[in-house]
Amino acid sequence: MNAAMFAAIVLTIVAARPAAARDYYFSTQGSDASGDGSHASPYQTIAHLNTLDLEPGDRVLFHSGDTFEGPIRLEANDSATDSDGVLRRKPIQFQSFGGRPRPIIASARDYGLYATNVGGIRIRRLEFAGSSNIDEITDPANTTAGILFENRNCLIQQHRIVIDDVAVHGFGEAGIKFTAVNPATAAGGFADVRLLRSAIHSNGRSGVMSNVLSASGKVTDGSLYDFQSRAHANFLVRRNVVHQTFGKRESGGVSGNGIVLAQVAKARIQFNVAHHNGGIAGGGAVAIWTWESDQVRIEFNEAYANDSFDGRDGGGFDLDGGTRQSVLQYNYSHGNHGAAYGLFEFGYASPMQNNVIRYNVSEADGSGVAAWGSGPRFGGSDVAAASLFYNNTVVQPLGPAAHFFGSLEKVGVYNNVFLSSGGHDLVQRTDFDGAGSAYTIDVAMLANAYWSGADAFRIVWDDQTYMTLADWSAATQQETIGAVLVGLEADPGLTGPLSGGSELNQPIRFSTLTAYRLLPTSPLIDAGATVHTLPLPRSLGLTDIGTRDFDGGMLPRGADFDIGANER
């Protein structure tokens, strides 16, 4: 091999080798002009950061306690993913150095971090601060986000975003948002996203959200509405606190939400606390919910004191329009304006099916469990369908313990405790907007326990009021197997005291909620139905009942299930 050929090969190898990763330090005491980005000679401003082309493995480090004027702007040349959106090398990291407190990225009227067509990013121990003016945050014209990841490439999903131990507050649209612009049916968004241990508060429309957006209102091939896509995939939202999402000053729309994931295929929302969201402006807020998503598990979360400005929603948890194969389990809802656990289907949504709401506790919410379908006023799917509520404990002094209205089909309700006081209805089943027979309200109730204490027993069913369980059952055939009444009208024997719920703010402490356990003398012990053997769950394929109850206790292997969220 001659020298020229050898040199050419060496140059080719060097050119193909990835550039060595760099650390870029930033401090308000640094200098963009004379600094070199090293620890000893840091850069000073985010404006200079935005001129850099970041490479996989690079780290951007902000000095703790300093405040930097944002926004940080990232574009495709700052991505650690390849042309297919896949992370094959180390991510680009944004974090603090120098101890506590967090460095602040301040953007009073702009985004905190705006990333377009970017993946392979890790953000840790930073604070993103927007406006402190509530009127400015709730203004519909304010569409800023503290952290926004936006994918405009409909053909790929950008992979691997990790946001860990950040604080985000004061932004109009959302604290943290992932959006797909012009999505495909199952691409165009983000995949393998982790949002961990963060504090998100005092924002406008939502604390945390994912969504899609297109000018045509359709996915790129025109086969579906854009909101019916599953552009995003594999989200984990874990151990975050989301509170004081104000809402927006607008007559329509849904705002004031804590955590709302939409257009996601597979997600886990775990061990979060969402409180005091909604109620300042807008309407339709829910603490933690999903819509037009598949295989979402919402579990081990606490929602309390969430409100509504205009009377809509203001609830704890919700599997909403187009949600499929999803589970709401082991959650604690208390003191919310609306329903603790909702199953809601709106017109034009994809068909709802195969959802389960089980082993949850509600106390002193606007209602306990609720199901609604918008009915035949709209095109597309309009029926809350093919889903189950079982083994939930509802303690309800403020409204109906269970509320079923609008269009429902194949909804099973088993082994729940419905306890009311103050003369409120135990159960309501009603039409919607006076549509009457235009609606199908197909609800099958079995082996539930009903108790109204010293107050009158009341179930309102199709405009008829029933004052005993036996009378209602005889008229409707609810709570019967053959001619045998299997529902219970009895004091459930809860340990108590029942005083409106407890603010834990740490879902890992659910085992301390002894008030909802059954006393040894409870008539609910071994009185429940064996859910996975019932005809409706079997026909839907919903026979996997899990292994544990709300309190972490093991479930029976065969029969002898208790009624309620805790297995004695």
Side-chain angles (χ1 to χ4, degrees), residues 479-528:
E479 295 291 358
T480 61
I481 296 178
V484 178
L485 177 64
V486 295
L488 295 179
E489 181 181 347
D491 185 339
L494 299 180
T495 300
L498 304 172
S499 55
S502 301
E503 295 180 8
L504 295 180
N505 295 307
Q506 294 183 18
I508 59 173
R509 297 178 58 215
F510 280 0
S511 61
T512 67
L513 294 170
T514 58
Y516 310 107
R517 296 177 184 172
L518 301 179
L519 294 168
T521 56
S522 170
L524 278 55
I525 296 172
D526 296 343

Side-chain angles (χ1 to χ4, degrees), residues 94-262:
F94 295 80
Q95 61 190 67
S96 64
F97 75 97
R100 296 178 180 272
R102 295 182 181 94
I104 297 173
I105 312 302
S107 300
R109 292 173 179 81
D110 208 330
Y111 295 86
L113 182 149
Y114 193 152
T116 305
N117 297 343
V118 169
I121 301 294
R122 182 180 178 89
I123 303 168
R124 188 172 184 274
R125 283 206 51 76
L126 300 178
E127 179 174 350
F128 295 86
S131 174
S132 60
N133 185 309
I134 293 179
D135 287 340
E136 189 171 89
I137 295 168
T138 59
D139 184 349
N142 183 349
T143 60
T144 59
I147 300 174
L148 172 63
F149 282 91
E150 180 180 85
N151 187 3
R152 294 180 171 270
N153 189 332
C154 67
L155 300 178
I156 66 171
Q157 288 175 322
Q158 287 288 353
H159 284 66
R160 200 58 175 178
I161 308 295
V162 178
I163 301 172
D164 183 10
D165 193 16
V166 303
V168 187
H169 54 89
F171 296 91
E173 179 70 4
I176 300 173
K177 180 180 178 181
F178 300 87
T179 191
V181 179
N182 299 321
T185 302
F190 293 88
D192 302 326
V193 173
R194 305 289 182 266
L195 173 55
L196 312 170
R197 302 182 304 169
S198 295
I200 302 108
H201 66 90
S202 306
N203 297 293
R205 188 173 304 281
S206 297
V208 177
M209 65 181 292
S210 63
N211 75 335
V212 299
L213 176 67
S214 73
S216 67
K218 297 289 187 76
V219 297
T220 50
D221 67 3
S223 61
L224 296 172
Y225 292 114
D226 53 8
F227 66 79
Q228 294 175 316
S229 70
R230 302 298 190 265
H232 309 288
N234 298 320
F235 275 51
L236 174 63
V237 180
R238 197 168 196 261
R239 296 186 186 275
N240 304 285
V241 178
V242 184
H243 62 100
Q244 291 179 300
T245 311
F246 300 129
K248 304 293 283 185
R249 298 195 313 272
E250 54 194 10
S251 58
V254 176
S255 64
N257 302 291
I259 300 169
V260 50
L261 295 188

Side-chain angles (χ1 to χ4, degrees), residues 283-315:
V286 174
I288 300 176
W289 60 296
T290 187
W291 64 284
E292 284 290 358
S293 294
D294 297 340
Q295 300 181 61
V296 177
R297 281 192 294 163
I298 302 176
E299 57 188 6
F300 307 111
N301 304 283
E302 180 181 12
Y304 68 88
N306 296 285
D307 206 348
S308 172
F309 179 75
D310 64 3
R312 292 180 294 145
D313 296 321

